[in-house]
Amino acid sequence: MKGCTPGQVAIVLAGRFKGKRVVCLKNLPSGLILVTGPFKLNGVPLRRLNRAYLILTKTIVDVSKVDVTKVEDSMFRGKKLSIKKRKEFAAKEEPKRRATRSDDLLKLQKSVDTGVLASVKSVKRMGSYLSSNFTLSKNQRPHLMKF
Amino acid sequence: MAHRLHLNGTILSYQRGQRTLHQNFCLVEIDGVSSLNAAKYYLGKTVFYAYKVKKTETNKKGLRLIRGRIVKTHGNSGAVRVRFTHNLPPTSFGKPVRVQLYPQH
């Protein structure tokens, strides 16, 4: 499977963000693709996505000024809550919670997104394109579509 | 607003000769796919057959899914052969399936 070119817009096909159009940033060594919404446009944070569940389109956003060289797979491996905390939540009968994102990731999210948003704004209608969802309508045939 | 990311299809039958059934493969016709070349796009894609059961706490929609993969094309008119994780019951013939757009290569 080919990876993405940095800045390529992709359509997410499955998962929580299905239908969203996102900007691919990097191919990670694990084989996953690092992606960002940008968060303000469509609610997709810096995230790793599996290439099999993305349609890579030919639209490319200029991300040459965005620095993602330090991003690694290990930054995304979610830390499980300790058993003690999980029991606390269970005792309070609250819904299950995952550990929140690390501050490093949140900072990185901001810095990456400002760079991506700057190039998105320079292209006409790119912002509204990334905010919109992909959907198949009645007579659309994916085998005839050129992504 | 509902957004569709799948195609609809119909289960035609098991793969069969006139008198012999191969129940591990189903023949599926995908809406809008009516040629061999068109069907080649969908090779490897995931397919879901859904059937209804009683709604419970854990299954609030009352749906159970059987997942399959499009394995081969079938004939010249766009039908495909699908292998499901469990063989489908004959009551599924004529019923809809959802053909997903993943896995992409």
Side-chain angles (χ1 to χ4, degrees):
Chain A
M1 272 193 265
K2 279 185 192 175
C4 69
T5 55
Q8 202 166 10
V9 175
I11 300 166
V12 183
L13 295 172
R16 189 171 166 206
F17 300 107
K18 61 175 175 263
K20 302 281 182 192
R21 295 180 166 107
V22 295
V23 177
C24 298
L25 297 170
K26 188 182 175 182
N27 292 310
L28 293 166
S30 62
L32 301 170
I33 294 180
L34 179 68
V35 133
T36 185
F39 186 74
K40 282 192 176 170
L41 291 180
N42 50 28
V44 181
L46 257 187
R47 202 169 207 260
R48 298 182 301 168
L49 290 176
N50 193 327
R51 168 66 185 92
Y53 299 92
L54 290 175
I55 293 181
L56 297 178
T57 65
K58 61 185 184 203
T59 311
I60 297 184
V61 171
D62 179 23
V63 291
S64 50
K65 291 177 185 173
V66 177
D67 182 22
V68 274
T69 48
K70 288 185 184 174
V71 179
E72 289 172 21
D73 282 301
S74 52
M75 294 172 83
F76 292 94
R77 285 188 190 128
K79 287 182 185 175
K80 282 189 179 168
L81 291 177
S82 63
I83 293 178
K84 194 178 165 187
K85 284 225 158 179
R86 274 185 261 161
K87 283 190 180 171
E88 263 182 51
F89 283 131
K92 290 182 202 170
E93 289 180 342
E94 278 173 21
K96 277 187 208 171
R97 278 195 210 160
R98 292 189 200 116
T100 52
R101 293 203 139 189
S102 66
D103 287 331
D104 289 342
L105 255 186
L106 292 172
K107 277 183 200 170
L108 191 64
Q109 171 85 62
K110 272 192 181 175
S111 65
V112 166
D113 274 3
T114 44
V116 177
L117 278 170
S119 8
V120 162
K121 281 187 181 174
S122 65
V123 181
K124 216 178 179 184
R125 295 195 201 104
M126 182 61 79
S128 52
Y129 175 65
L130 291 174
S131 313
S132 64
N133 280 9
F134 174 81
T135 184
L136 285 175
S137 61
K138 197 171 180 187
N139 286 313
Q140 285 185 320
R141 318 281 175 219
H143 62 267
L144 293 173
M145 292 167 99
K146 288 189 179 175
F147 294 101
Chain B
M1 229 187 102
H3 293 292
R4 183 163 62 92
L5 282 165
H6 60 269
L7 279 101
N8 292 312
T10 321
I11 297 183
L12 300 174
S13 125
Y14 295 133
Q15 182 190 331
R16 60 180 302 171
Q18 186 175 34
R19 297 185 178 95
T20 315
L21 294 176
H22 298 284
Q23 294 158 353
N24 35 0
F25 293 97
C26 273
L27 302 178
V28 168
E29 176 183 57
I30 308 173
D31 283 357
V33 179
S34 53
S35 73
L36 180 62
N37 280 321
K40 283 183 180 175
Y41 176 86
Y42 300 94
L43 289 181
K45 302 286 181 274
T46 299
V47 171
F48 285 107
Y49 168 70
Y51 59 102
K52 287 185 181 173
V53 293
K54 198 173 177 184
K55 289 185 186 178
T56 59
E57 274 297 303
T58 43
N59 191 349
K60 290 181 183 173
K61 289 193 175 175
L63 281 181
R64 280 193 198 147
L65 300 176
I66 303 180
R67 179 171 37 101
R69 278 182 56 210
I70 294 177
V71 158
K72 265 186 160 180
T73 58
H74 183 81
N76 292 317
S77 303
V80 289
R81 290 184 205 169
V82 181
R83 181 168 218 157
F84 287 90
T85 49
H86 294 283
N87 294 349
L88 293 191
T91 51
S92 64
F93 298 164
K95 297 267 170 65
V97 282
R98 288 194 177 182
V99 179
Q100 303 296 335
L101 297 177
Y102 54 83
Q104 283 281 322
H105 290 283

